[in-house]
Every structure is written in structure tokens, then in C-alpha cells.
Amino acid sequence: VFLGRVLAGRVVGQETRYEVEVRRRYRQRFPLLSREYVWVPNACGCPPLRDGGRYVLMATRHVNYERTLNRVLLPDGGYARPWTPREERLLGEAAGVC
């Protein structure tokens, strides 16, 4: 779970790739760089993330069977919410519990 600002989005084949600046990490099960590509497995861009928008994203690390592909994946129906001060407060409270 992290707060990110979308820098750009692009359709690549049957997937959508967003370049995201990672602003804050809330819960981290794998290392994140300050800039990551977040992949969405569809070409419609769902969930729709607009350039310049700040979002709270719950993503997973996807590594293929051959271990040649290692990327951040936002699954269909994944958690992607616009950032608000309320989201910040709720995630701050949850950090003490998780």
C-alpha cells in the first residue's frame, strides 16, 4: 500500500502502464523505488488514473514462472482511491495495527 502520483499512462499491448512517483509507503511487503511502473492487466485503463493525480494504491508484485518478469501489478478491481486527508488519517491509524 502506497501513496503515488501518476506521471504518465500508456497502453502497451493488452495492458496499461502507469509511471508513478512513490510518495509514501504505508505497508510494504516488497521493495519499492521512488519511481515505479504500475501495470494494469487491461487496455481500458480501469481503474482510471489521471496524469498528475495522487492515489492510494494497493498493488502486488508479479513475478512470472520463468522469473524473467518482475513488476508491480494493480489487479482488476484492485484498490486505487484518490488521496484525501481522510485516507491519510485512516492509513496512519491502520499502520499501528498492521
Side-chain angles (χ1 to χ4, degrees), residues 8 17-20 35-39 61 71-73:
R17 181 186 75 185
Y18 293 102
E19 183 177 357
V20 176
R35 283 199 176 176
E36 289 279 358
Y37 286 118
V38 176
W39 292 84
R61 177 67 71 182
R71 61 189 185 166
V72 180
L73 180 69

Side-chain angles (χ1 to χ4, degrees), residues 2-22 32-61 70-81:
F2 64 96
L3 168 65
R5 183 171 68 93
V6 176
L7 301 175
R10 178 178 172 201
V11 175
V12 178
Q14 296 297 317
E15 299 177 305
T16 305
R17 181 186 75 185
Y18 293 102
E19 183 177 357
V20 176
E21 176 186 12
V22 177
L32 287 172
L33 301 174
S34 60
R35 283 199 176 176
E36 289 279 358
Y37 286 118
V38 176
W39 292 84
V40 178
N42 59 52
C44 71
C46 303
L49 305 178
R50 63 178 177 79
D51 291 356
R54 295 190 302 173
Y55 296 91
V56 175
L57 302 168
M58 185 183 301
T60 61
R61 177 67 71 182
N70 184 356
R71 61 189 185 166
V72 180
L73 180 69
L74 183 62
D76 286 332
Y79 189 85
R81 301 286 186 264

Side-chain angles (χ1 to χ4, degrees), residues 59-71:
T60 61
R61 177 67 71 182
H62 173 255
V63 179
N64 68 348
Y65 180 73
E66 295 86 17
R67 299 205 180 274
T68 57
L69 184 65
N70 184 356
R71 61 189 185 166

